[in-house]
Amino acid sequence: MDHSADAHRTDLMTITRFVLNEQSKHPESRGDFTILLSHIVLGCKFVCSAVNKAGLAKLIGLAGETNVQGEEQKKLDVLSNEVFIKALVSSGRTCILVSEEDEEATFVEPSKRGKYAVVFDPLDGSSNIDCGVSIGTIFGIYVLKHLQEPTLDDVLQPGKNMLAAGYCMYGSSCTLVLSTGNGVNGFTLDPSLGEFILTHPDIKIPRKGKIYSVNEGNAKNWDSPTAKYVENCKFPKDGSSPKSLRYIGSMVADVHRTLLYGGVFLYPADKKSPNGKLRVLYEVFPMSFLMEQAGGQSFTGKGRALDLVPKKIHERSPIFLGSYDDVEEIKGLYAAEENKLV
């Protein structure tokens, strides 16, 4: 046994240590945010374990339910939702919870109430479990202005008001990407320690990428600027090499790749879904927050994504996010289209 190597392993930057270091930069802080994050991290570890078991149960036929199409997935969705609701409520630091799984927002009982509102998708991309594709949890955190009697308006805020956002991806490894408004950092779960270790410090998205990510099956329903942009990706007019298409169909996985390698991820509006498909509060906002913090951009086809003010908790929006220059090109195409209409 290599004791010197083991001793070295204790000098790792865990997510707990990282968040405590951040907390020490704010002498006025009481540790509430740190406690809340530790409960989110615990939820992620729990779901990671459950996802791995579900995959295995499916592979060797231990699922227990005869309905192989939807039932097992649905159960995992519901389990993940319950895990996060319980973890967040028991932290004693939350006030309002908005989950993709629940039609209504959850208002925490007064005795367990804190000053934070959390919006989350407990298991994004869960239809991909059976084929082993990465899935994930997405979350965003708001701080409430007043705690007297919280209302839905307290979460129906623009994304630029978010205090922190992140996602946890359950794939070949379990990766948690987090921003508290001061850059983006990535942590990977070390199963032998049960700890998230800082593996991707200060993530910066490349200024311009070589990848575009979109569901081309919807191409016949796209508007003109989206169709033009994808055409330019495949047949560039400036003599540059065409971009590569990479589309997993799991938002967490597609955005994670975009964040690390650059390029652009788009889920535009189309004739079938005129308001887009992705939900503003717990998909568009957290991912846009991370993108901007990493030096990229996020655009809805009309303006900056984080400036949107949602009217409903499950509102949808088109989204284009990724490398700064690539999103700038899309913005240019939308501006040109608008000028034609004037």
Side-chain angles (χ1 to χ4, degrees), residues 13-26:
M13 180 59 80
T14 65
I15 193 161
T16 313
R17 187 173 156 195
F18 180 85
V19 172
L20 285 169
N21 283 356
E22 288 296 302
Q23 185 191 316
S24 66
K25 295 174 189 171
H26 304 275

Side-chain angles (χ1 to χ4, degrees), residues 99-130:
S99 165
E100 189 264 347
E101 288 288 314
D102 297 328
E103 214 169 301
E104 305 289 333
T106 302
F107 289 88
V108 179
E109 59 181 275
S111 63
K112 294 180 178 167
R113 210 170 266 174
K115 62 178 178 181
Y116 297 106
V118 183
V119 293
F120 61 99
D121 186 342
L123 206 58
D124 186 71
S126 54
S127 59
N128 286 314
I129 292 165
D130 290 352

